[in-house]
Amino acid sequence: MDKGNEYYDRFLQGDKDALGQLVSVYNQRLILFLFGLVQDWETAQDLAADTFCYLLVKKPSFREEAKFKTWLFRIAKNKAIDFLRKQRRYPEISVDGAEFDLPHFDLPEMRLEKEETNRKLYAALQTLPQNYRSVLTLLYFEDMSYKQAAQVLKKSVKQIKNDAYRARQALR
């Protein structure tokens, strides 16, 4: 069950620990989602931190039109889009030969095998177009419904279903 709404309400009422609980619940997920958009771990981590800073400073109201998780991921996606727009205007010089390397998480042994499978899957996802990566990440790694993914990506449910089908076919 998504307790994000409860934590956020407590944070808005002045409970400082509630924001920490939000970060602990959603930070890793946001970073993985943002990585699929920006293709850089440090940038994804910075954008996730920016998303939580936005909640801390602006304290936007959550109208409960969707789940809290969907709302939070939409904020993060908008932050990533803003970053990518700035990158296009002011491109950085990239280092040739830089290799993609997933960070190593210290996880219990039971979760290690799942993480290895996820790493392989993330590597396979990197071969897909960005819109397919986003759809699959939201549907399978974030356990969002088609409707929630459609809200985050600002597409129709039918477009999400089509993209998910095409992405699965491309992965095969």
Side-chain angles (χ1 to χ4, degrees):
M1 182 170 178
D2 188 21
K3 289 192 169 195
N5 189 19
E6 175 188 332
Y7 293 147
Y8 190 63
D9 285 341
R10 285 185 18 223
F11 165 69
L12 290 177
Q13 294 170 4
D15 182 359
K16 295 179 184 180
D17 294 331
L19 184 63
Q21 290 171 328
L22 279 173
V23 172
S24 68
V25 170
Y26 294 108
N27 191 47
Q28 263 321 97
R29 296 174 183 179
L30 271 180
I31 291 171
L32 292 174
F33 172 68
L34 290 166
F35 176 76
L37 297 173
V38 298
Q39 300 298 304
D40 181 59
W41 281 109
E42 288 80 20
T43 303
Q45 291 170 341
D46 290 343
L47 290 171
D50 286 348
T51 302
F52 290 112
C53 286
Y54 176 78
L55 294 181
L56 177 66
V57 174
K58 299 286 184 175
K59 296 182 181 175
S61 61
F62 174 57
R63 296 184 301 234
E64 299 184 29
E65 293 172 359
K67 287 186 175 182
F68 178 81
K69 179 178 174 181
T70 304
W71 179 71
L72 181 66
F73 274 69
R74 180 179 284 171
I75 291 171
K77 179 183 178 250
N78 290 339
K79 295 257 179 223
I81 289 171
D82 291 345
F83 170 80
L84 292 172
R85 283 182 186 148
K86 288 177 186 174
Q87 286 296 101
R88 273 188 251 137
R89 281 189 207 141
Y90 309 105
E92 294 180 2
I93 298 172
S94 64
V95 178
D96 291 334
E99 300 226 358
F100 166 72
D101 188 26
L102 287 172
H104 300 289
F105 299 107
D106 294 328
L107 299 174
E109 289 180 14
M110 295 176 69
R111 298 172 84 191
L112 188 60
E113 186 176 321
K114 183 178 178 184
E115 284 297 319
E116 183 61 29
T117 303
N118 285 346
R119 283 189 192 113
K120 289 178 184 177
L121 188 53
Y122 273 115
L125 282 174
Q126 301 315 307
T127 64
L128 297 177
Q130 189 261 331
N131 61 326
Y132 289 172
R133 282 194 310 265
S134 297
V135 168
L136 290 180
T137 300
L138 292 175
L139 292 176
Y140 295 107
F141 290 101
E142 296 306 323
D143 295 324
M144 288 190 180
S145 67
Y146 287 110
K147 183 178 178 182
Q148 292 170 328
Q151 289 173 337
V152 170
L153 298 175
K154 295 183 181 176
K155 292 184 173 186
S156 70
V157 173
K158 181 66 175 164
Q159 288 173 313
I160 295 296
K161 287 181 180 180
N162 288 340
D163 285 351
Y165 174 78
R166 291 177 184 140
R168 286 189 300 265
Q169 293 299 321
L171 273 179
R172 288 187 183 135

